[in-house]
């Protein structure tokens, strides 16, 4: 750690009564896991999870890397999140505080949430759903979204939530890959004061005759016009009103697939990350408890969407498994103005706030241009812990977050994890870990993280390398749905003899403290506003515009708001456009990508060239494109390029 680095020790109020209080307590947990790895995880599983059939076998590594945890135990995730709290006398405790886009608020108790979950679970069973069926959930941020996920878990159906910003094409791919038999959606969603379609996108996705979908259940969110296809489509409110408010949980084995969630890889085909029930739920609950130091009187707010893994783990499962109270927000942080988040914290007395660096940077900008949006205008004294998720947070944003939102008194848990890991892997613990802006600090107890070279050899502190996890953990990915070979090659590659989980991120460790800092992806995956997108996926979408595009290459470049921006280099099937014509074609291609994938994948920058920088053997020189996108002078050797002059052409912005 350099001498000028500012270290923030945990404040006394954070250390006092913390679940993990002080570094000695942290080291004790790590030592326990080191001495008896299986015993450590077994103890946590018995303390945090209610088992119908207690497990006897902790870890099965015989078929590595297809690990199994607690496989002879049975449980139900919905029972763990709802019933047991009601049975413990917490039925009247607030589970969810829902704030809609327009500012209206609804509170839902644990008893209410259980009854709504049971009614929908019964409705699903009445539609013929059974354990193991797959259900696509394409809903806005809402209580209904949480209920839909819990209802699937209750009957043993495997849910796959699709973010409401994805296109019909992306939705169709996920429906087909999962073999889903039912879709739960809404007429529309509200974002930033605008009604955006959902049901019509589902209809387009289902226009292909080769899907297995039998039923579509529609939540009436806005009352906007929709086409209801008989007998396939049913209104949610009409289905559940006649169903009983109790439903016996389906007790499933710990390895039963709880959900499939798609994430981008380095190829054009998204990966269906499959998670278990028992191990995943344990990891969700334990990380919520220790990372956020969640207590019974806390109000927890994770600003993520349920369409991403953060919304799964830290909205639908982790806080509810602990009997917590949490905020669910439908809207966007800048509507009706940049003070929306701070107003909500004040209004709901939020004590734990978990958001993305992209949102923080956008709100820093909003506060700088609009005095009314500055957090100093709001009472944020209820806050005690802040969190960051989705991408590394730059030190300047960290410092602003700490000073202006936390008032200099709130620890910031800068969490590193992935869709595939299920929950936090490297993170500070607020009552224990000294903080360094820009560093996610140390591994969560029980997680064996390391940095290695390309042959799998450990790198010394002070040197960068490839981030790996050396031991399996309960919340880990179990499979890429329907593609076991891709699972092995993606996460347990031959270069490491299949021994280590490959995270796909580069990292370094501080020479003195051993603190981790994430340095970025090592593959062709971009991280835009915390959303992972494969470059090949976007390239494939561009090339699919067969009337216009002959070839495309996509790279990322740093962006002060989104962290990384998408830059596309395109060769058209006609002469290279310039001026207004180039701008019009660029807009057409952005809209095309939005239709093919979703608005989140629209390139921020599209540049046209007569061809792409290639070696004489035909390989695209992406490192040169990255330099061009960043506006850097080309210092690399270009002598192997077929046409070096093309770089000047591609450097021109439209």
């Amino acid at each position: 750690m350099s001498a000028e680095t500012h270290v923030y020790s945990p404040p006394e109020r954070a250390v006092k009564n913390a679940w993990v209080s002080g570094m000695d307590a942290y080291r004790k947990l790590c030592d326990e896991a080191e001495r008896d790895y299986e015993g450590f995880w077994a103890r946590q599983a018995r303390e945090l999870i209610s088992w119908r059939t207690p497990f006897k076998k902790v870890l099965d590594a015989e078929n590595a890397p297809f690990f199994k945890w607690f496989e002879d135990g049975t449980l139900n995730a919905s029972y763990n999140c709802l019933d047991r709290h009601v049975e413990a006398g917490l039925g009247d405790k607030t589970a969810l505080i829902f704030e809609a886009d327009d500012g209206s608020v609804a509170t839902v108790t644990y008893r209410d949430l259980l009854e709504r979950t049971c009614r929908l679970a019964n409705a699903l069973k009445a539609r013929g759903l059974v354990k193991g069926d797959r259900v696509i959930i394409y809903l806005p941020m809402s209580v209904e979204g949480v209920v839909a996920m819990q209802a699937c878990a209750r009957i043993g159906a495997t849910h796959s939530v699709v973010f409401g910003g994805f296109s019909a094409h992306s939705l169709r791919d996920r429906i087909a890959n999962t073999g889903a038999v039912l879709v739960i959606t809404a007429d529309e969603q509200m974002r930033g004061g605008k009604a955006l379609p959902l049901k019509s996108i589902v209809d387009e996705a289902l226009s292909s005759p080769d899907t297995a979908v039998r039923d579509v259940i529609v939540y009436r969110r806005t009352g906007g016009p929709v086409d209801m296809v008989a007998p396939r489509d049913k209104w949610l409110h009409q289905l559940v009103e006649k169903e009983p408010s109790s439903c016996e949980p389906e007790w499933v084995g710990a390895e039963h697939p709880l959900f499939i969630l798609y994430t981008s890889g380095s190829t054009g085909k998204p990966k269906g990350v499959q998670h278990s029930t028992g191990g995943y739920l344990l990891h969700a609950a334990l990380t919520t408890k220790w990372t956020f130091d969640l207590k019974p009187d806390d109000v927890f707010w994770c600003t993520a969407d349920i369409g991403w893994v953060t919304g799964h783990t830290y909205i639908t499962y982790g806080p509810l498994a602990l009997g917590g109270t949490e905020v669910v927000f439908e809207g966007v942080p800048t509507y009706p103005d940049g003070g929306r988040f701070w107003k909500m914290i004040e209004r709901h007395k939020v004590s734990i706030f978990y958001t993305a660096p992209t949102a923080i940077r956008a709100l820093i900008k909003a506060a700088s241009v609009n005095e009314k949006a500055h957090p100093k205008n709001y009472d944020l004294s209820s806050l005690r812990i802040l969190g960051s998720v989705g991408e590394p947070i730059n030190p300047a944003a960290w410092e602003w977050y700490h000073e202006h939102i936390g008032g200099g008194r709130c620890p910031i848990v800068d969490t590193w994890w992935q869709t595939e890991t299920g929950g936090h892997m490297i993170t500070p613990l607020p009552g224990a870990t000294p903080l360094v802006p820009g560093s996610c600090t140390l591994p969560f107890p029980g997680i064996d993280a390391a940095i290695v070279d390309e042959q799998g050899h450990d790198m010394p502190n002070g040197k960068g390398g490839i981030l790996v996890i050396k031991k399996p953990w309960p919340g880990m990915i179990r499979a890429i749905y329907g593609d076991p070979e891709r699972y092995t090659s993606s996460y347990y590659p031959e270069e490491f003899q299949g021994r280590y989980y490959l995270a796909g991120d580069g990292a370094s460790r501080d020479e003195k403290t051993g603190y981790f800092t994430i340095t970025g992806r090592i593959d062709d995956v971009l991280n835009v506003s915390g959303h992972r997108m494969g470059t090949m996926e976007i390239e494939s979408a561009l090339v699919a515009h067969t009337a216009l595009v002959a070839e495309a290459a996509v790279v990322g470049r740093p962006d002060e708001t989104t962290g990384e921006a998408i830059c596309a280099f395109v060769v058209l099937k006609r002469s290279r456009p310039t001026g207004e014509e180039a701008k019009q074609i660029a807009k057409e291609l952005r809209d095309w990508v939005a239709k093919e994938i979703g608005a989140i994948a629209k390139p921020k920058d599209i540049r046209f060239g007569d061809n792409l920088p290639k070696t004489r053997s035909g390989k695209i020189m992406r490192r040169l494109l990255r330099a061009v996108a960043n506006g850097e002078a080309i210092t690399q050797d270009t002598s192997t390029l077929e046409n070096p002059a093309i770089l000047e052409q591609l450097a021109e912005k439209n």
Side-chain angles (χ1 to χ4, degrees), residues 136-425:
I136 293 287
I137 298 173
Y138 188 62
L139 284 169
M141 278 298 292
S142 56
V143 174
E144 284 71 19
V146 176
V147 167
M149 296 167 77
Q150 291 285 343
C152 289
R154 193 164 197 85
I155 67 172
T158 300
H159 62 69
S160 185
V161 183
V162 179
F163 174 58
F166 277 125
S167 68
H169 181 86
S170 296
L171 180 60
R172 183 187 304 124
D173 286 347
R174 287 152 176 77
I175 291 170
N177 190 251
T178 59
V181 297
L182 185 144
V183 175
I184 304 175
T185 189
D187 50 4
E188 296 175 314
Q189 61 179 333
M190 293 299 301
R191 289 183 68 82
K194 298 177 181 178
L196 304 172
L198 288 179
K199 174 61 165 60
S200 61
I201 293 174
V202 171
D203 290 341
E204 183 181 347
L206 295 179
S207 61
S208 173
D210 57 354
T211 75
V213 172
R214 305 188 302 259
D215 296 277
V216 175
I217 297 176
V218 186
Y219 159 49
R220 181 175 281 164
R221 167 61 186 92
T222 65
V226 295
D227 292 326
M228 297 294 282
V229 179
R232 184 194 70 185
D233 300 349
K234 296 288 185 296
W235 289 108
L236 173 66
H237 63 277
Q238 293 176 349
L239 282 182
V240 299
E241 64 185 2
K242 60 186 178 183
E243 295 294 345
S245 60
S246 63
C247 176
E248 177 67 16
E250 181 75 32
W251 305 103
V252 300
E255 284 297 313
H256 179 77
L258 178 62
F259 66 86
I260 301 164
L261 187 59
Y262 285 82
T263 186
S264 290
S266 55
T267 70
K269 183 180 177 184
K271 298 179 288 190
V273 173
Q274 179 181 312
H275 276 287
S276 70
T277 299
Y280 168 79
L281 190 63
L282 168 62
H283 199 156
L286 187 62
T287 51
T288 301
K289 180 179 180 179
W290 286 354
T291 303
F292 300 115
D293 194 41
L294 188 71
K295 300 292 176 51
D297 58 350
D298 276 316
V299 176
F300 176 82
W301 183 16
C302 169
T303 68
D305 192 283
I306 56 170
W308 308 113
V309 73
T310 307
H312 282 54
T313 303
Y314 300 111
I315 294 177
T316 299
Y317 291 111
L320 294 180
L322 297 177
T325 296
E326 56 178 328
V327 174
V328 175
F329 177 46
E330 180 182 37
V332 296
T334 53
Y335 177 80
D337 56 57
R340 182 65 181 269
F341 273 9
W342 323 135
K343 182 179 180 180
M344 288 180 62
I345 291 171
E346 178 182 74
R347 182 181 195 180
H348 303 302
K349 305 300 181 192
V350 172
S351 55
I352 304 170
F353 180 63
Y354 192 37
T355 196
T358 299
I360 296 167
R361 289 191 293 266
L363 294 171
I364 292 172
K365 185 176 181 180
S368 69
V369 298
N370 180 3
E371 181 70 17
K372 292 181 180 179
H374 200 284
K376 68 183 179 183
N377 298 310
Y378 300 89
D379 180 4
L380 306 181
S381 60
S382 61
L383 289 169
R384 69 181 189 91
I385 292 170
L386 304 175
S388 174
V389 61
E391 59 181 299
I393 180 170
N394 56 299
W398 193 105
E399 295 279 8
W400 187 91
Y401 194 27
H402 184 260
E403 178 184 352
H404 293 284
I405 309 307
R409 70 185 186 281
C410 298
I412 298 175
V413 289
D414 177 5
T415 60
W416 176 83
W417 61 297
Q418 302 174 311
T419 302
E420 295 89 341
T421 71
H424 304 150
M425 301 294 281

Side-chain angles (χ1 to χ4, degrees), residues 18 269 448 515 546 565 604 640:
K269 183 180 177 184
D448 190 1
Y515 276 19
T546 53
K604 189 168 187 177
T640 60

Side-chain angles (χ1 to χ4, degrees), residues 36-103:
D36 182 7
Y37 193 67
E38 291 188 24
F40 170 83
W41 287 112
R43 178 169 73 85
Q44 309 306 328
R46 292 185 178 108
E47 289 181 1
L48 283 180
I49 304 298
S50 294
W51 298 88
R52 180 71 165 187
T53 306
F55 61 87
K56 295 180 181 177
K57 187 175 181 63
V58 181
L59 171 62
D60 180 356
E62 292 181 9
N63 192 30
F66 297 91
F67 300 99
K68 297 179 180 179
W69 287 85
F70 321 118
E71 63 176 316
D72 57 348
T74 63
L75 74 163
N76 181 276
S78 175
Y79 175 88
N80 272 272
C81 291
L82 304 175
D83 305 61
R84 63 174 179 167
H85 305 312
V86 175
E87 292 167 3
L90 298 176
D92 293 329
K93 181 179 181 180
T94 298
L96 306 178
I97 302 168
F98 174 67
E99 180 160 324
D101 188 64
D102 65 2

